[in-house]
mmCIF file of all heavy atoms in Angstrom:
data_model
loop_
_atom_site.group_PDB
_atom_site.id
_atom_site.type_symbol
_atom_site.label_atom_id
_atom_site.label_comp_id
_atom_site.label_asym_id
_atom_site.label_seq_id
_atom_site.Cartn_x
_atom_site.Cartn_y
_atom_site.Cartn_z
ATOM 1 N N CYS A 1 54.847 39.456 35.243
ATOM 2 C CA CYS A 1 53.820 40.425 34.905
ATOM 3 C C CYS A 1 52.510 40.014 35.564
ATOM 4 O O CYS A 1 51.917 39.021 35.145
ATOM 5 C CB CYS A 1 53.658 40.606 33.408
ATOM 6 S SG CYS A 1 52.298 41.683 32.916
ATOM 7 N N ALA A 2 52.111 40.738 36.605
ATOM 8 C CA ALA A 2 50.894 40.446 37.306
ATOM 9 C C ALA A 2 49.749 41.250 36.717
ATOM 10 O O ALA A 2 49.833 42.483 36.648
ATOM 11 C CB ALA A 2 51.044 40.793 38.819
ATOM 12 N N ALA A 3 48.681 40.579 36.360
ATOM 13 C CA ALA A 3 47.496 41.236 35.736
ATOM 14 C C ALA A 3 46.344 41.276 36.742
ATOM 15 O O ALA A 3 46.139 40.392 37.557
ATOM 16 C CB ALA A 3 47.088 40.457 34.471
ATOM 17 N N SER A 4 45.630 42.381 36.674
ATOM 18 C CA SER A 4 44.432 42.555 37.492
ATOM 19 C C SER A 4 43.349 43.206 36.681
ATOM 20 O O SER A 4 43.669 43.839 35.617
ATOM 21 C CB SER A 4 44.745 43.301 38.786
ATOM 22 O OG SER A 4 45.211 44.615 38.485
ATOM 23 N N GLY A 5 42.144 43.156 37.115
ATOM 24 C CA GLY A 5 41.024 43.769 36.394
ATOM 25 C C GLY A 5 40.238 42.738 35.677
ATOM 26 O O GLY A 5 39.953 41.621 36.170
ATOM 27 N N SER A 6 39.790 43.081 34.434
ATOM 28 C CA SER A 6 38.950 42.212 33.632
ATOM 29 C C SER A 6 39.777 41.161 32.937
ATOM 30 O O SER A 6 39.987 41.161 31.708
ATOM 31 C CB SER A 6 38.154 43.057 32.632
ATOM 32 O OG SER A 6 37.231 42.216 31.969
ATOM 33 N N ILE A 7 40.262 40.123 33.686
ATOM 34 C CA ILE A 7 41.171 39.152 33.159
ATOM 35 C C ILE A 7 40.556 38.330 32.035
ATOM 36 O O ILE A 7 41.236 37.997 31.089
ATOM 37 C CB ILE A 7 41.632 38.209 34.299
ATOM 38 C CG1 ILE A 7 42.290 39.013 35.446
ATOM 39 C CG2 ILE A 7 42.675 37.170 33.729
ATOM 40 C CD1 ILE A 7 43.480 39.862 35.010
ATOM 41 N N VAL A 8 39.293 38.045 32.155
ATOM 42 C CA VAL A 8 38.660 37.190 31.159
ATOM 43 C C VAL A 8 38.605 37.823 29.761
ATOM 44 O O VAL A 8 38.308 37.101 28.753
ATOM 45 C CB VAL A 8 37.246 36.726 31.585
ATOM 46 C CG1 VAL A 8 37.351 35.844 32.855
ATOM 47 C CG2 VAL A 8 36.342 37.892 31.820
ATOM 48 N N SER A 9 38.786 39.120 29.674
ATOM 49 C CA SER A 9 38.731 39.846 28.406
ATOM 50 C C SER A 9 40.044 39.760 27.627
ATOM 51 O O SER A 9 40.104 40.223 26.532
ATOM 52 C CB SER A 9 38.365 41.302 28.644
ATOM 53 O OG SER A 9 39.403 42.041 29.235
ATOM 54 N N ILE A 10 41.071 39.130 28.206
ATOM 55 C CA ILE A 10 42.414 39.129 27.558
ATOM 56 C C ILE A 10 42.452 37.983 26.598
ATOM 57 O O ILE A 10 42.188 36.849 26.897
ATOM 58 C CB ILE A 10 43.508 38.942 28.646
ATOM 59 C CG1 ILE A 10 43.566 40.090 29.600
ATOM 60 C CG2 ILE A 10 44.857 38.762 27.951
ATOM 61 C CD1 ILE A 10 44.496 39.927 30.786
ATOM 62 N N ASP A 11 42.783 38.350 25.317
ATOM 63 C CA ASP A 11 42.986 37.354 24.295
ATOM 64 C C ASP A 11 44.401 36.860 24.238
ATOM 65 O O ASP A 11 44.666 35.670 23.893
ATOM 66 C CB ASP A 11 42.576 37.911 22.944
ATOM 67 C CG ASP A 11 41.112 38.073 22.779
ATOM 68 O OD1 ASP A 11 40.323 37.335 23.365
ATOM 69 O OD2 ASP A 11 40.708 39.091 22.112
ATOM 70 N N ALA A 12 45.354 37.712 24.505
ATOM 71 C CA ALA A 12 46.751 37.272 24.463
ATOM 72 C C ALA A 12 47.541 38.268 25.344
ATOM 73 O O ALA A 12 47.184 39.420 25.535
ATOM 74 C CB ALA A 12 47.321 37.351 23.048
ATOM 75 N N MET A 13 48.745 37.779 25.832
ATOM 76 C CA MET A 13 49.655 38.593 26.528
ATOM 77 C C MET A 13 51.030 38.380 25.961
ATOM 78 O O MET A 13 51.255 37.297 25.332
ATOM 79 C CB MET A 13 49.671 38.271 28.005
ATOM 80 C CG MET A 13 48.355 38.560 28.748
ATOM 81 S SD MET A 13 48.434 38.276 30.501
ATOM 82 C CE MET A 13 49.577 39.587 31.036
ATOM 83 N N GLY A 14 51.896 39.317 26.087
ATOM 84 C CA GLY A 14 53.212 39.171 25.507
ATOM 85 C C GLY A 14 54.253 40.042 26.163
ATOM 86 O O GLY A 14 53.875 40.963 26.943
ATOM 87 N N TRP A 15 55.476 39.804 25.820
ATOM 88 C CA TRP A 15 56.564 40.664 26.208
ATOM 89 C C TRP A 15 57.171 41.347 24.986
ATOM 90 O O TRP A 15 57.381 40.677 23.960
ATOM 91 C CB TRP A 15 57.690 39.824 26.890
ATOM 92 C CG TRP A 15 57.253 39.283 28.194
ATOM 93 C CD1 TRP A 15 56.768 38.060 28.500
ATOM 94 C CD2 TRP A 15 57.324 39.961 29.457
ATOM 95 N NE1 TRP A 15 56.509 37.886 29.852
ATOM 96 C CE2 TRP A 15 56.837 39.081 30.455
ATOM 97 C CE3 TRP A 15 57.823 41.215 29.841
ATOM 98 C CZ2 TRP A 15 56.796 39.440 31.830
ATOM 99 C CZ3 TRP A 15 57.708 41.582 31.189
ATOM 100 C CH2 TRP A 15 57.200 40.684 32.124
ATOM 101 N N TYR A 16 57.400 42.605 25.128
ATOM 102 C CA TYR A 16 58.112 43.411 24.128
ATOM 103 C C TYR A 16 59.346 44.037 24.742
ATOM 104 O O TYR A 16 59.496 44.099 25.976
ATOM 105 C CB TYR A 16 57.207 44.559 23.604
ATOM 106 C CG TYR A 16 56.104 44.126 22.716
ATOM 107 C CD1 TYR A 16 55.021 43.360 23.210
ATOM 108 C CD2 TYR A 16 56.063 44.498 21.391
ATOM 109 C CE1 TYR A 16 53.964 42.962 22.350
ATOM 110 C CE2 TYR A 16 55.022 44.136 20.546
ATOM 111 C CZ TYR A 16 53.981 43.347 21.023
ATOM 112 O OH TYR A 16 52.963 42.980 20.214
ATOM 113 N N ARG A 17 60.306 44.391 23.911
ATOM 114 C CA ARG A 17 61.466 45.096 24.422
ATOM 115 C C ARG A 17 61.821 46.248 23.495
ATOM 116 O O ARG A 17 61.597 46.224 22.300
ATOM 117 C CB ARG A 17 62.633 44.189 24.617
ATOM 118 C CG ARG A 17 63.201 43.570 23.336
ATOM 119 C CD ARG A 17 64.241 42.531 23.630
ATOM 120 N NE ARG A 17 64.824 41.978 22.429
ATOM 121 C CZ ARG A 17 65.638 40.911 22.424
ATOM 122 N NH1 ARG A 17 65.989 40.339 23.552
ATOM 123 N NH2 ARG A 17 66.191 40.467 21.265
ATOM 124 N N GLN A 18 62.478 47.242 24.080
ATOM 125 C CA GLN A 18 62.956 48.399 23.326
ATOM 126 C C GLN A 18 64.305 48.794 23.790
ATOM 127 O O GLN A 18 64.515 49.235 24.917
ATOM 128 C CB GLN A 18 61.968 49.612 23.484
ATOM 129 C CG GLN A 18 62.284 50.743 22.600
ATOM 130 C CD GLN A 18 61.172 51.754 22.518
ATOM 131 O OE1 GLN A 18 60.327 51.870 23.431
ATOM 132 N NE2 GLN A 18 61.164 52.581 21.459
ATOM 133 N N ALA A 19 65.262 48.570 22.948
ATOM 134 C CA ALA A 19 66.672 48.979 23.179
ATOM 135 C C ALA A 19 66.824 50.465 22.853
ATOM 136 O O ALA A 19 66.062 51.057 22.077
ATOM 137 C CB ALA A 19 67.650 48.161 22.344
ATOM 138 N N SER A 20 67.802 51.092 23.490
ATOM 139 C CA SER A 20 68.015 52.510 23.249
ATOM 140 C C SER A 20 68.175 52.796 21.790
ATOM 141 O O SER A 20 69.007 52.181 21.100
ATOM 142 C CB SER A 20 69.243 52.934 24.032
ATOM 143 O OG SER A 20 69.468 54.301 23.892
ATOM 144 N N GLY A 21 67.394 53.742 21.306
ATOM 145 C CA GLY A 21 67.499 54.162 19.911
ATOM 146 C C GLY A 21 66.838 53.242 18.908
ATOM 147 O O GLY A 21 66.996 53.481 17.693
ATOM 148 N N LYS A 22 66.174 52.172 19.320
ATOM 149 C CA LYS A 22 65.575 51.258 18.451
ATOM 150 C C LYS A 22 64.064 51.144 18.651
ATOM 151 O O LYS A 22 63.507 51.615 19.638
ATOM 152 C CB LYS A 22 66.171 49.847 18.642
ATOM 153 C CG LYS A 22 67.690 49.881 18.456
ATOM 154 C CD LYS A 22 68.272 48.418 18.339
ATOM 155 C CE LYS A 22 67.915 47.834 16.966
ATOM 156 N NZ LYS A 22 68.552 46.524 16.717
ATOM 157 N N GLN A 23 63.401 50.534 17.682
ATOM 158 C CA GLN A 23 61.948 50.321 17.747
ATOM 159 C C GLN A 23 61.604 49.272 18.782
ATOM 160 O O GLN A 23 62.380 48.337 19.047
ATOM 161 C CB GLN A 23 61.410 49.899 16.416
ATOM 162 C CG GLN A 23 61.539 50.954 15.267
ATOM 163 C CD GLN A 23 60.438 51.965 15.325
ATOM 164 O OE1 GLN A 23 59.437 51.842 16.001
ATOM 165 N NE2 GLN A 23 60.680 53.094 14.733
ATOM 166 N N ARG A 24 60.433 49.397 19.386
ATOM 167 C CA ARG A 24 59.935 48.349 20.267
ATOM 168 C C ARG A 24 59.619 47.125 19.410
ATOM 169 O O ARG A 24 58.997 47.219 18.339
ATOM 170 C CB ARG A 24 58.708 48.881 20.975
ATOM 171 C CG ARG A 24 58.222 47.876 22.095
ATOM 172 C CD ARG A 24 57.117 48.474 22.939
ATOM 173 N NE ARG A 24 57.506 49.743 23.587
ATOM 174 C CZ ARG A 24 56.710 50.377 24.456
ATOM 175 N NH1 ARG A 24 55.539 49.891 24.759
ATOM 176 N NH2 ARG A 24 57.178 51.467 25.021
ATOM 177 N N GLU A 25 60.058 45.965 19.873
ATOM 178 C CA GLU A 25 59.832 44.738 19.165
ATOM 179 C C GLU A 25 59.214 43.658 20.048
ATOM 180 O O GLU A 25 59.408 43.618 21.283
ATOM 181 C CB GLU A 25 61.159 44.210 18.609
ATOM 182 C CG GLU A 25 62.209 43.836 19.641
ATOM 183 C CD GLU A 25 63.460 43.266 19.077
ATOM 184 O OE1 GLU A 25 63.537 43.023 17.836
ATOM 185 O OE2 GLU A 25 64.423 43.050 19.858
ATOM 186 N N SER A 26 58.467 42.786 19.404
ATOM 187 C CA SER A 26 57.815 41.662 20.106
ATOM 188 C C SER A 26 58.919 40.636 20.444
ATOM 189 O O SER A 26 59.766 40.273 19.579
ATOM 190 C CB SER A 26 56.762 41.016 19.266
ATOM 191 O OG SER A 26 56.168 39.910 19.891
ATOM 192 N N VAL A 27 58.833 40.086 21.681
ATOM 193 C CA VAL A 27 59.760 39.062 22.126
ATOM 194 C C VAL A 27 59.065 37.700 22.212
ATOM 195 O O VAL A 27 59.550 36.728 21.638
ATOM 196 C CB VAL A 27 60.329 39.403 23.484
ATOM 197 C CG1 VAL A 27 61.181 38.282 24.039
ATOM 198 C CG2 VAL A 27 61.131 40.698 23.386
ATOM 199 N N ALA A 28 57.936 37.662 22.825
ATOM 200 C CA ALA A 28 57.201 36.390 23.011
ATOM 201 C C ALA A 28 55.716 36.757 23.291
ATOM 202 O O ALA A 28 55.413 37.731 23.896
ATOM 203 C CB ALA A 28 57.771 35.543 24.170
ATOM 204 N N VAL A 29 54.855 35.817 22.868
ATOM 205 C CA VAL A 29 53.406 35.968 23.043
ATOM 206 C C VAL A 29 52.786 34.656 23.505
ATOM 207 O O VAL A 29 53.235 33.553 23.120
ATOM 208 C CB VAL A 29 52.730 36.412 21.655
ATOM 209 C CG1 VAL A 29 51.238 36.370 21.805
ATOM 210 C CG2 VAL A 29 53.245 37.744 21.296
ATOM 211 N N ILE A 30 51.779 34.755 24.379
ATOM 212 C CA ILE A 30 51.029 33.573 24.777
ATOM 213 C C ILE A 30 49.585 33.928 24.692
ATOM 214 O O ILE A 30 49.153 34.975 25.185
ATOM 215 C CB ILE A 30 51.464 33.070 26.216
ATOM 216 C CG1 ILE A 30 50.716 31.754 26.553
ATOM 217 C CG2 ILE A 30 51.259 34.145 27.246
ATOM 218 C CD1 ILE A 30 51.336 31.045 27.720
ATOM 219 N N THR A 31 48.751 33.059 24.054
ATOM 220 C CA THR A 31 47.369 33.371 23.878
ATOM 221 C C THR A 31 46.531 32.820 25.020
ATOM 222 O O THR A 31 47.129 32.054 25.878
ATOM 223 C CB THR A 31 46.827 32.782 22.559
ATOM 224 O OG1 THR A 31 46.726 31.361 22.700
ATOM 225 C CG2 THR A 31 47.744 33.140 21.385
ATOM 226 N N SER A 32 45.269 33.115 25.049
ATOM 227 C CA SER A 32 44.393 32.651 26.131
ATOM 228 C C SER A 32 44.239 31.160 26.203
ATOM 229 O O SER A 32 43.871 30.600 27.207
ATOM 230 C CB SER A 32 42.988 33.344 26.022
ATOM 231 O OG SER A 32 42.423 32.994 24.802
ATOM 232 N N ILE A 33 44.551 30.462 25.083
ATOM 233 C CA ILE A 33 44.440 28.986 25.067
ATOM 234 C C ILE A 33 45.852 28.362 25.146
ATOM 235 O O ILE A 33 45.950 27.168 24.920
ATOM 236 C CB ILE A 33 43.693 28.470 23.829
ATOM 237 C CG1 ILE A 33 44.333 28.904 22.518
ATOM 238 C CG2 ILE A 33 42.210 28.933 23.887
ATOM 239 C CD1 ILE A 33 43.724 28.212 21.300
ATOM 240 N N GLY A 34 46.840 29.182 25.368
ATOM 241 C CA GLY A 34 48.190 28.607 25.666
ATOM 242 C C GLY A 34 49.114 28.490 24.504
ATOM 243 O O GLY A 34 50.245 27.935 24.668
ATOM 244 N N LEU A 35 48.733 28.956 23.330
ATOM 245 C CA LEU A 35 49.653 28.941 22.193
ATOM 246 C C LEU A 35 50.774 29.951 22.456
ATOM 247 O O LEU A 35 50.498 31.094 22.922
ATOM 248 C CB LEU A 35 48.930 29.266 20.860
ATOM 249 C CG LEU A 35 47.874 28.300 20.445
ATOM 250 C CD1 LEU A 35 47.159 28.814 19.207
ATOM 251 C CD2 LEU A 35 48.473 26.906 20.189
ATOM 252 N N THR A 36 51.981 29.664 22.091
ATOM 253 C CA THR A 36 53.161 30.567 22.269
ATOM 254 C C THR A 36 53.805 30.817 20.957
ATOM 255 O O THR A 36 53.877 29.967 20.036
ATOM 256 C CB THR A 36 54.112 29.994 23.306
ATOM 257 O OG1 THR A 36 54.611 28.707 22.830
ATOM 258 C CG2 THR A 36 53.454 29.766 24.660
ATOM 259 N N MET A 37 54.434 32.000 20.893
ATOM 260 C CA MET A 37 55.209 32.442 19.718
ATOM 261 C C MET A 37 56.442 33.223 20.231
ATOM 262 O O MET A 37 56.297 33.926 21.222
ATOM 263 C CB MET A 37 54.377 33.273 18.804
ATOM 264 C CG MET A 37 53.250 32.510 18.107
ATOM 265 S SD MET A 37 52.125 33.661 17.214
ATOM 266 C CE MET A 37 51.146 34.232 18.599
ATOM 267 N N TYR A 38 57.521 33.068 19.544
ATOM 268 C CA TYR A 38 58.763 33.731 19.958
ATOM 269 C C TYR A 38 59.444 34.436 18.771
ATOM 270 O O TYR A 38 59.358 33.942 17.635
ATOM 271 C CB TYR A 38 59.771 32.713 20.524
ATOM 272 C CG TYR A 38 59.290 32.021 21.741
ATOM 273 C CD1 TYR A 38 58.631 30.844 21.719
ATOM 274 C CD2 TYR A 38 59.564 32.570 22.976
ATOM 275 C CE1 TYR A 38 58.191 30.175 22.838
ATOM 276 C CE2 TYR A 38 59.132 31.948 24.145
ATOM 277 C CZ TYR A 38 58.425 30.732 24.042
ATOM 278 O OH TYR A 38 57.991 30.089 25.217
ATOM 279 N N ALA A 39 60.080 35.546 19.065
ATOM 280 C CA ALA A 39 60.959 36.134 18.080
ATOM 281 C C ALA A 39 62.099 35.222 17.768
ATOM 282 O O ALA A 39 62.636 34.513 18.665
ATOM 283 C CB ALA A 39 61.463 37.491 18.537
ATOM 284 N N ASP A 40 62.596 35.234 16.551
ATOM 285 C CA ASP A 40 63.718 34.325 16.188
ATOM 286 C C ASP A 40 64.951 34.597 17.010
ATOM 287 O O ASP A 40 65.681 33.634 17.318
ATOM 288 C CB ASP A 40 64.093 34.590 14.704
ATOM 289 C CG ASP A 40 63.048 34.023 13.693
ATOM 290 O OD1 ASP A 40 62.229 33.130 14.088
ATOM 291 O OD2 ASP A 40 63.054 34.370 12.519
ATOM 292 N N SER A 41 65.125 35.803 17.438
ATOM 293 C CA SER A 41 66.321 36.156 18.215
ATOM 294 C C SER A 41 66.379 35.539 19.581
ATOM 295 O O SER A 41 67.436 35.462 20.230
ATOM 296 C CB SER A 41 66.424 37.692 18.306
ATOM 297 O OG SER A 41 65.321 38.243 18.937
ATOM 298 N N VAL A 42 65.227 35.039 20.090
ATOM 299 C CA VAL A 42 65.191 34.511 21.459
ATOM 300 C C VAL A 42 64.753 33.044 21.510
ATOM 301 O O VAL A 42 64.796 32.468 22.580
ATOM 302 C CB VAL A 42 64.247 35.350 22.385
ATOM 303 C CG1 VAL A 42 64.663 36.843 22.333
ATOM 304 C CG2 VAL A 42 62.781 35.111 21.992
ATOM 305 N N LYS A 43 64.445 32.431 20.398
ATOM 306 C CA LYS A 43 64.066 31.093 20.336
ATOM 307 C C LYS A 43 65.106 30.142 20.946
ATOM 308 O O LYS A 43 66.297 30.355 20.604
ATOM 309 C CB LYS A 43 63.752 30.586 18.907
ATOM 310 C CG LYS A 43 62.396 31.142 18.376
ATOM 311 C CD LYS A 43 62.144 30.656 16.947
ATOM 312 C CE LYS A 43 60.818 31.187 16.433
ATOM 313 N NZ LYS A 43 60.656 30.852 15.052
#
């Protein structure tokens, strides 16, 4: 995922996924200081 624009304004970035017929769910997150979090299903 390539980001452009006002990069310094980003507090966190992450990946979400949406399977057919299901709700969009969080997969993984990384904050501006490098903290990471993962969904249990992908840990």
Side-chain angles (χ1 to χ4, degrees):
C1 174
S4 61
S6 185
I7 305 300
V8 295
S9 70
I10 298 173
D11 290 325
M13 297 183 69
W15 291 96
Y16 286 67
R17 66 187 182 188
Q18 187 167 22
S20 181
K22 303 194 74 174
Q23 295 281 341
R24 189 174 299 187
E25 63 177 353
S26 177
V27 175
V29 173
I30 186 165
T31 73
S32 60
I33 60 171
L35 297 176
T36 59
M37 293 170 281
Y38 297 91
D40 288 342
S41 59
V42 307
K43 285 179 181 175

